[in-house]
Amino acid sequence: MNWEDELRKQVKNLGPKTYLSISKDRGMVLLRYRNPNGKPINKRLPFKWNELLAGDIYTRIRNIYKLTLDGIEFSHAVDIADDKAPMPDGDRDWNKALEEYKVEKLSRGTGIKESTWLKEHAPVIQDAIALMNGRRSPDDPAELINKTTQHWEIGSRTRQQRTRNLSAFLRYCVNVQKFPDRWNPPTDLSYHIGRKPASSKSQKVHPITDQEIIDLIHSLENDERAKRDIPAALNWARAIKLMVTFGLRPEELKHLEKKIDRKTKEEYLWCSYQKRAGGGMTEARRLYPLYPVNKKGVKQDWNLVELFDRKDFLLPSLQNKNGVGEACLKYLKRQKCWEQLIKNVEKRNERAGSYSFRHSYSVRGHLLDIDNGSMSLAMGHSIETHCREYPWATKSATTNAFEIALAA
């Protein structure tokens, strides 16, 4: 197939209803629009009929086609593409929409933090806008979503999050910025998020045993290491003790303070961290200790509440662009004691990570017969989240209920 036939084929395949065709007219490109409701319209494009210009010719026709999809009359679309006419009022200005959407997300509704905007929303939207402003911009929201999110692992949490965030931006563009309705994203995003193959290894981390935690902390505090490395090991040991004992998310280490109960005069730790969830914001909360127990049955009370605000109770630097959990994991991966723990966990066909300490708190609570409602409040999330993310909570409660019933 020669270049002329190939170019004609590309124009014909622009979409199901292009109504466009091209031909050579006095050495120039003639674009014909077969108006289904009237006479055909011919427009000469400012391109010579030349193989070297085939790519530019196709790009121009594609841009004209996309303008017609937005309801712009053919002749006007040709002039807009040739910069001979302005875009119609209210047409797409992706960059303006992005700036106004940022204000919407940061200052209205439940609002999000600037750091959340920069980490989870801005990157995917900026990538999408770069595609829309490029020479071969997507023709519809489905194609835009696919091209923008394709480099994230199929079925992954990140791909799910980015797909939903981009879709929310597109809905805003249509509903608030009055973009053409055809930019409304698909209602069902499952196809774009995808599912991991059945053979793929789950990225979910699991709880680790109390004894494994105790051994890990003991190694951090007692292993022989260079003098300069001792402070970091002790700081991370304290951080892990806090996550283990109070069921903390790694990020919550930055939001702790000591308070005194007005009635009992008892000291306790308070977490002011609030995490945005599907139903709004999680609440700040009082922390309740659940101490790990070693294989001899001895509770490991590290006296954390009393020691917390002392000058020598130091924690590692918790400023990391990828979050505290990633900082924790980065440090642990360099430690031999963590390598051994990972080997033990992998023998169970499970995975360990920085959230394993929090997960272990949940297991410990349910082994003590603490109900789901109390555990969810102590851990700072809803009962629904607790049962979904901590399946052992429901399983242990069910097992205990039947054991009690059978023993009666």
Side-chain angles (χ1 to χ4, degrees), residues 15-276:
K17 295 181 179 180
T18 59
Y19 301 117
L20 298 175
S21 61
I22 59 170
S23 61
K24 182 179 179 181
D25 180 48
R26 288 184 247 178
M28 302 295 286
V29 175
L30 184 71
L31 179 63
R32 168 170 285 199
Y33 173 66
R34 293 183 294 107
N35 188 345
N37 301 316
K39 294 182 179 180
I41 303 174
N42 295 328
K43 281 287 191 177
R44 186 178 296 171
L45 302 184
F47 295 96
K48 290 183 178 181
W49 189 266
N50 188 303
E51 182 177 4
L52 296 177
L53 298 176
D56 292 333
I57 294 169
Y58 172 75
T59 299
R60 174 63 62 86
I61 296 172
R62 189 170 183 267
N63 291 340
I64 293 170
Y65 169 66
K66 286 193 294 182
L67 290 169
T68 63
L69 290 180
D70 288 342
I72 298 173
E73 188 271 329
F74 172 69
S75 296
H76 193 189
V78 173
D79 289 341
I80 291 172
D82 197 28
D83 290 330
K84 292 180 179 178
M87 295 288 280
D89 290 339
D91 211 307
R92 306 189 306 268
D93 185 339
W94 294 100
N95 291 310
K96 178 184 175 184
L98 171 61
E99 291 304 313
E100 296 188 11
Y101 184 63
K102 178 181 179 181
V103 174
E104 179 92 2
K105 295 299 291 182
L106 295 181
S107 61
R108 301 189 182 104
T110 54
I112 62 173
K113 296 179 180 178
E114 177 83 21
S115 58
T116 302
W117 167 262
L118 293 174
K119 181 180 178 182
E120 299 177 6
H121 295 262
V124 68
I125 297 174
Q126 289 168 346
D127 286 349
I129 292 177
L131 285 174
M132 293 308 303
N133 291 334
R135 293 184 62 186
R136 294 181 177 271
S137 57
D139 288 323
D140 55 62
E143 182 185 1
L144 177 62
I145 292 170
N146 286 340
K147 287 189 174 180
T148 307
T149 62
Q150 63 186 355
H151 60 282
W152 284 298
E153 182 185 2
I154 183 171
S156 66
R157 171 63 178 159
T158 302
R159 184 162 174 173
Q160 178 191 66
Q161 186 182 67
R162 300 303 190 268
T163 299
R164 289 176 176 173
N165 289 345
L166 177 55
S167 297
F169 171 67
L170 292 175
R171 283 193 295 272
Y172 168 84
C173 288
V174 173
N175 297 331
V176 179
Q177 296 294 325
K178 305 306 179 185
F179 279 37
D181 286 342
R182 72 184 190 85
W183 285 104
N184 251 325
T187 303
D188 184 4
L189 297 174
S190 59
Y191 175 79
H192 305 283
I193 297 168
R195 296 178 62 183
K196 294 180 181 179
S199 59
S200 67
K201 200 171 184 179
S202 171
Q203 296 303 302
K204 186 179 181 67
V205 299
H206 299 82
I208 51 182
T209 69
D210 280 2
Q211 189 59 53
E212 286 170 334
I213 292 169
I214 294 166
D215 291 342
L216 174 68
I217 292 172
H218 182 270
S219 295
L220 290 174
E221 293 180 330
N222 296 282
D223 278 0
E224 291 186 4
R225 60 184 79 235
K227 188 175 181 179
R228 66 178 182 276
D229 297 330
I230 293 176
L234 295 179
N235 292 349
W236 276 113
R238 296 184 192 101
I240 292 171
K241 287 177 180 179
L242 287 168
M243 288 189 284
V244 167
T245 303
F246 297 103
L248 299 176
R249 302 176 180 92
E251 191 70 20
E252 291 176 334
L253 289 167
K254 298 192 295 186
H255 303 270
L256 303 179
E257 61 178 306
K258 184 188 289 190
K259 290 189 174 185
I260 299 178
D261 189 301
R262 291 182 179 179
K263 290 184 178 180
T264 65
K265 306 304 179 183
E266 177 188 8
E267 293 183 327
Y268 63 90
L269 292 187
W270 176 265
C271 178
S272 60
Y273 180 76
Q274 291 182 285
K275 183 180 187 296
R276 183 166 187 186

